[in-house]
Amino acid sequence: MFRRSMASKGTSLKARVLKPESSLIQKEPYYERVGEEIALFEAAYSSQLPVLLKGPTGCGKTRFMEYMAWRLKRPLITVSCHDDLTAADLVGRYLITNNETVWVDGPLAKAVRCGGICYLDEVVEARKDTTVVIHPLADDRRILTMEKRGELLQAPKEFVLALSYNPGYQSVLKELKQSTRQRFVAIEFKYPAPELERKIIVTEAGLETGDADKLIKLAHMTRNLKGNGLDEGASTRLLVHAGKLMARGIAPRVACNGAIAEALTDDPEMLHAVNELTSALF
């Protein structure tokens, strides 16, 4: 028999419980609104609906989550998903410490207990058994099944489950299933418009507007090569990285090679092509 446990109750067996304040974001993260994503997320939060962030890498999904956690004053627990991530990694497990058995909450259980935001970044990279854990939290039940403890955690109204994935980059074998997708409110992210991307680079990197415009032109050139030699074009994140190097006095071609070209590909021909594009601009 499972027993229900509200988030306010403590855990037995000397479980390590998250201190919510340790994950609170104290300082407002820099974030530029690109559409209605803020209003949509706040409405989903008020309606106790989970959120799915879709978009290419480096377009601001993680920064958006940090901003919303600050805005809503909720603890943020981020999990970078990978091939070895299991359901037990998310929920928790028993460990032997100092000759005693101790239950250790996983990040998902911690977020449920403290009424925080659990953000599973690139969720399709995790093993398939993780969706078994996610589904009851992402529908009207809002419960986390902890089989090893014989316990059901009821998520408080403040809890938010958020996922992200890059639909243009994942293989056929790593698509997000419809049974998972249709539990979430989806917010699509794209690279910002040139004017907004310029503002982000200038603000984040402290770069002159003219150099920021050249970086944006380079980014658009590489994005046009997606599927034609490059898996992904230069993201806004990479442009900021290059801008920061340039602001520190690194020559533009050297900065773009290190922060953009080498980050995008290892193929010698594509490296040469991207560096040729850089040379045409700087």
Side-chain angles (χ1 to χ4, degrees):
M1 291 292 291
F2 282 107
R3 63 182 187 277
R4 286 184 178 268
S5 173
M6 299 302 292
S8 59
K9 291 185 179 180
T11 58
S12 60
L13 294 177
K14 299 181 180 179
R16 302 175 190 175
V17 180
L18 174 76
K19 294 181 179 179
E21 65 272 12
S22 66
S23 297
L24 285 173
I25 297 175
Q26 303 295 338
K27 183 179 179 181
E28 179 180 359
Y30 172 68
Y31 179 77
E32 290 288 347
R33 182 177 66 85
V34 296
E36 298 301 320
E37 70 274 16
I38 294 175
L40 191 56
F41 191 97
E42 288 183 330
Y45 172 78
S46 298
S47 303
Q48 300 179 37
L49 297 173
V51 178
L52 172 64
L53 309 184
K54 301 165 49 180
T57 184
C59 68
K61 299 189 295 295
T62 299
R63 180 66 64 87
F64 171 73
M65 288 305 306
E66 292 172 352
Y67 175 76
M68 293 310 301
W70 171 83
R71 187 179 176 98
L72 296 171
K73 296 179 174 57
R74 303 311 309 157
L76 174 65
I77 298 177
T78 300
V79 180
S80 297
C81 299
H82 52 80
D83 291 338
D84 294 327
L85 186 73
T86 66
D89 293 324
L90 292 177
V91 176
R93 52 170 52 90
Y94 285 108
L95 298 177
I96 298 176
T97 304
N98 296 326
N99 295 320
E100 65 176 341
T101 303
V102 180
W103 173 264
V104 180
D105 275 342
L108 186 56
K110 290 178 179 179
V112 172
R113 291 190 194 281
C114 73
I117 300 173
C118 187
Y119 175 47
L120 305 182
D121 190 19
E122 297 297 348
V123 67
V124 294
E125 297 294 337
R127 285 169 48 169
K128 298 300 182 183
D129 64 337
T130 57
T131 58
V132 176
V133 175
I134 291 171
H135 283 181
L137 271 175
D139 57 30
D140 291 341
R141 291 171 289 176
R142 287 175 60 84
I143 57 173
L144 176 61
T145 304
M146 306 178 76
E147 292 185 358
K148 292 181 179 180
R149 288 177 57 80
E151 183 178 6
L152 293 177
L153 278 184
Q154 183 71 52
K157 64 179 183 180
E158 296 86 0
F159 170 76
V160 180
L161 176 62
L163 315 181
S164 78
Y165 87 115
N166 181 352
Y169 183 70
Q170 310 302 339
S171 69
V172 175
L173 297 176
K174 289 189 174 181
E175 283 290 339
L176 200 60
K177 292 182 177 180
Q178 286 293 330
S179 58
T180 302
R181 293 175 60 133
Q182 294 196 23
R183 284 172 158 82
F184 289 79
V185 173
I187 304 177
E188 184 177 11
F189 285 76
K190 299 178 180 179
Y191 294 125
E195 299 79 11
L196 185 55
E197 199 160 36
R198 180 195 304 119
K199 182 179 180 181
I200 293 170
I201 296 169
V202 170
T203 303
E204 291 261 57
L207 199 63
E208 295 292 333
T209 302
D211 286 334
D213 286 336
K214 292 178 182 179
L215 287 175
I216 292 169
K217 289 180 181 179
L218 176 61
H220 281 277
M221 291 176 181
T222 63
R223 291 167 190 171
N224 289 333
L225 293 175
K226 181 178 178 179
N228 294 301
L230 291 180
D231 292 329
E232 289 282 350
S235 66
T236 305
R237 178 194 294 141
L238 293 188
L239 301 188
V240 171
H241 289 176
K244 287 182 176 179
L245 294 177
M246 291 165 61
R248 289 282 184 175
I250 301 298
R253 294 183 185 181
V254 176
C256 290
N257 177 65
I260 297 177
E262 295 285 354
L264 289 177
T265 182
D266 293 319
D267 181 79
E269 292 185 3
M270 290 310 302
L271 280 171
H272 178 73
V274 175
N275 284 327
E276 283 292 308
L277 295 176
T278 303
S279 299
L281 292 169
F282 292 97

